[in-house]
Amino acid sequence: MQFNRRRFNTAIAAGAATVAAPSVLSQSAQPIKIGLVSITEGPFAVMGADCFRGAELALRQASMRAGGRPLEVIRGGTNATPDRATAEVRKLVEQDKVDIVVGPLSGSEGIAIKNYSRSQAQCTFMNGSSAAQQTTLQDPSPNFFRFSMDGVQWMAGLGSEASKKYKRVAAIGEDYSFPWAQLKGFALEFCRGGGKIVERFWVPLGNRDYSAVISRIPKDIDGIYVALGGSDAVNFLTQYDQSGGDKDIIGGSITVDQTVLSFRGQKRPDWLVGTLASGPIGDTWDNPAWRKYVGDYRAAFKDGLPTPSLFATAYFQNMMAVLTALDSVKGDLGNNHQALRQTLSTMTLNGPTGPMRLDANRNAVGNIFVTQVTKEGNNLVNRVLRVVPNVNQTLGQPPEQFLQVGFAARNSLENQCR
């Protein structure tokens, strides 16, 4: 999909026509420039479109102003690769001179932008939905913030729930940082509950043909843990069903997200009803703030999903955090954003998924939802089974104990859980 960069701006020009124009605007009248980055090409393009919806909803609700100043937003598109993400963000920071970057979407993109942020002390970087563990847990950057947690956190509660029903599972995921984090988070609890992961399959991002993998899935298992997203998830689930596969699916956080359950142009996978999963949202959560957010999303985007995806919600919350902090400091970006960053580091964000705060590494601590796919009317949704509160990046363990098995990688727990 060809992506055309575009800007959307406040009515600065209209305001300027009514004011006696000084030669230099005061800081309070100068726009704050925000670079908004998400994926526009490849297997995650549908997810990327919902990222933009979530961020735009937060901006609309703020009337494109924060801290008493107008906002100018410049969009950038990526393709899920670290190099492309870095090039796009570099252009926004070094050529467009944005003050704040919100994004990216994908895990390894996030690690790359975290690393780039170190060289740009004048800019504040707010995560989008990227959820690699190393982005904040390993060598965190002082000007990179994440109000959306990581892929290990998103698995809190799922492994223990799944171990009540399943004992031997195979696992499949794309071969990069986010699925590695998802499998690690799942395995930590699943294995502790007596489960075994008997086989793992890592596939390239954008894989279209899963026949070779499906043919190698062991017969003596009772479930398949799937950490695929976007069209990768749709392709695998469709081909597995068509092959006559009869094992239950255990869903990674984005595998049964609305970007997959409501994927247009594909036969709806009703056979996924009953699938266990977990993540930072729960479609049916009976909470006033969540219900309001869902209603606002539906009203704003007639072309949106039945309920906002994980990706829309992550971008909404991260943009909301930026705007809330800017209001708190009255738009002050002086001294390399010192006041803004201090506020982000210490504030509690009361967003649609409940209160969220940052730890010492500027990574979010918040609610995780254990869910099960169900059918409501014509839609598949994730029904909330339980909420796991205050999930931190080391799942409640001391960091040194948590990291005894190392950071999330393709060989995480290689000698365990078998």
Side-chain angles (χ1 to χ4, degrees):
M1 178 173 64
Q2 182 65 35
F3 181 77
N4 295 317
R5 180 188 302 277
R6 65 184 179 89
R7 298 170 184 240
F8 54 101
N9 210 332
T10 55
I12 299 170
T18 64
V19 179
S23 59
V24 179
L25 293 173
S26 66
Q27 184 188 53
S28 63
Q30 290 177 347
I32 296 171
K33 298 178 73 173
I34 298 176
L36 177 59
V37 180
S38 186
I39 291 173
T40 56
E41 303 173 32
F44 292 170
V46 171
M47 300 137 101
D50 219 36
C51 291
F52 283 131
R53 293 188 192 105
E56 186 177 338
L57 180 60
L59 290 161
R60 288 187 190 185
Q61 292 181 347
S63 301
M64 288 295 291
R65 295 187 68 86
R69 297 171 62 178
L71 302 175
E72 177 184 350
V73 177
I74 307 173
R75 290 190 181 189
T78 74
N79 62 359
T81 64
D83 287 348
R84 172 73 175 274
T86 303
E88 196 68 25
V89 171
R90 179 179 288 114
K91 194 270 181 186
L92 291 168
V93 173
E94 299 178 25
Q95 295 183 35
D96 295 322
K97 304 297 183 184
V98 299
D99 301 296
I100 298 165
V101 172
V102 177
L105 183 158
S106 190
S108 294
E109 290 184 316
I111 295 173
I113 300 309
K114 180 274 296 273
N115 292 334
Y116 171 73
S117 72
R118 296 181 177 283
S119 67
Q120 304 297 323
Q122 82 287 356
C123 185
T124 294
F125 294 78
M126 178 62 71
N127 190 57
S129 60
S130 71
Q133 182 186 52
Q134 288 92 326
T135 306
T136 51
L137 188 59
Q138 184 179 38
D139 197 21
S141 171
N143 55 334
F144 188 99
F145 300 79
R146 178 158 63 184
F147 275 89
S148 48
M149 295 184 274
D150 73 22
V152 174
Q153 290 172 278
W154 290 355
M155 288 288 93
L158 177 60
S160 58
E161 188 72 27
S163 68
K164 299 174 185 177
K165 183 177 181 181
Y166 307 105
K167 295 305 176 186
R168 291 174 57 81
V169 305
I172 179 173
E174 294 114 338
D175 197 5
Y176 75 103
S177 57
F178 171 67
W180 300 342
Q182 289 266 275
L183 181 57
K184 177 178 179 179
F186 171 75
L188 286 170
E189 289 188 4
F190 183 68
C191 302
R192 193 181 305 130
K196 302 283 187 184
I197 299 175
V198 300
E199 188 63 83
R200 299 168 193 166
F201 302 98
W202 297 116
V203 298
L205 190 65
N207 190 52
R208 295 177 182 274
D209 184 358
Y210 287 89
S211 57
V213 172
I214 291 171
S215 68
R216 294 168 53 204
I217 293 174
K219 305 299 183 185
D220 60 340
I221 59 171
D222 45 18
I224 306 172
Y225 174 78
V226 182
L228 300 168
S231 61
D232 287 351
V234 172
N235 288 335
F236 172 77
L237 294 172
T238 300
Q239 291 171 35
Y240 183 69
D241 181 43
Q242 291 173 345
S243 74
D246 60 356
K247 305 302 182 184
D248 287 354
I249 301 298
I250 305 165
S253 298
I254 67 176
T255 304
V256 290
D257 178 71
Q258 281 298 323
T259 51
V260 173
L261 294 182
S262 59
F263 198 90
R264 294 181 176 91
Q266 296 283 342
K267 177 184 176 182
R268 187 175 58 211
D270 287 359
W271 62 279
L272 289 174
V273 168
T275 296
L276 293 173
S278 68
I281 66 170
D283 296 339
T284 68
W285 194 32
D286 188 19
N287 173 276
W290 175 257
R291 292 198 304 271
K292 179 182 184 305
Y293 164 66
V294 172
D296 290 346
Y297 171 93
R298 289 172 173 167
F301 306 109
K302 301 306 182 184
D303 63 341
L305 303 173
T307 62
S309 69
L310 176 158
F311 304 96
T313 306
Y315 269 72
F316 177 85
Q317 292 184 150
N318 279 298
M319 183 65 79
M320 181 184 178
V322 166
L323 302 179
T324 301
L326 284 169
D327 282 342
S328 180
V329 301
K330 298 180 171 54
D332 177 15
L333 297 180
N335 195 22
N336 279 348
H337 303 190
Q338 180 178 5
L340 175 68
R341 294 172 189 174
Q342 176 64 22
T343 299
L344 288 169
S345 297
T346 57
M347 65 186 274
T348 296
L349 181 71
N350 291 308
T353 62
M356 188 175 289
R357 59 178 176 81
L358 299 187
D359 62 18
N361 293 334
R362 293 162 294 283
N363 185 82
V365 177
N367 292 333
I368 297 298
F369 300 83
V370 180
T371 61
Q372 188 171 43
V373 175
T374 189
K375 193 171 183 179
E376 289 192 354
N378 292 322
N379 298 319
L380 296 177
V381 297
N382 288 291
R383 179 173 62 89
V384 176
L385 299 180
R386 67 186 179 100
V387 180
V388 185
N390 298 314
V391 177
N392 68 10
Q393 205 167 16
T394 60
L395 305 183
Q397 299 178 24
E400 59 276 9
Q401 177 184 341
F402 181 78
L403 290 174
Q404 284 179 355
V405 295
F407 290 99
R410 74 190 318 270
N411 60 348
S412 290
L413 308 174
E414 189 67 42
N415 297 317
Q416 302 177 44
C417 208
R418 290 185 181 272

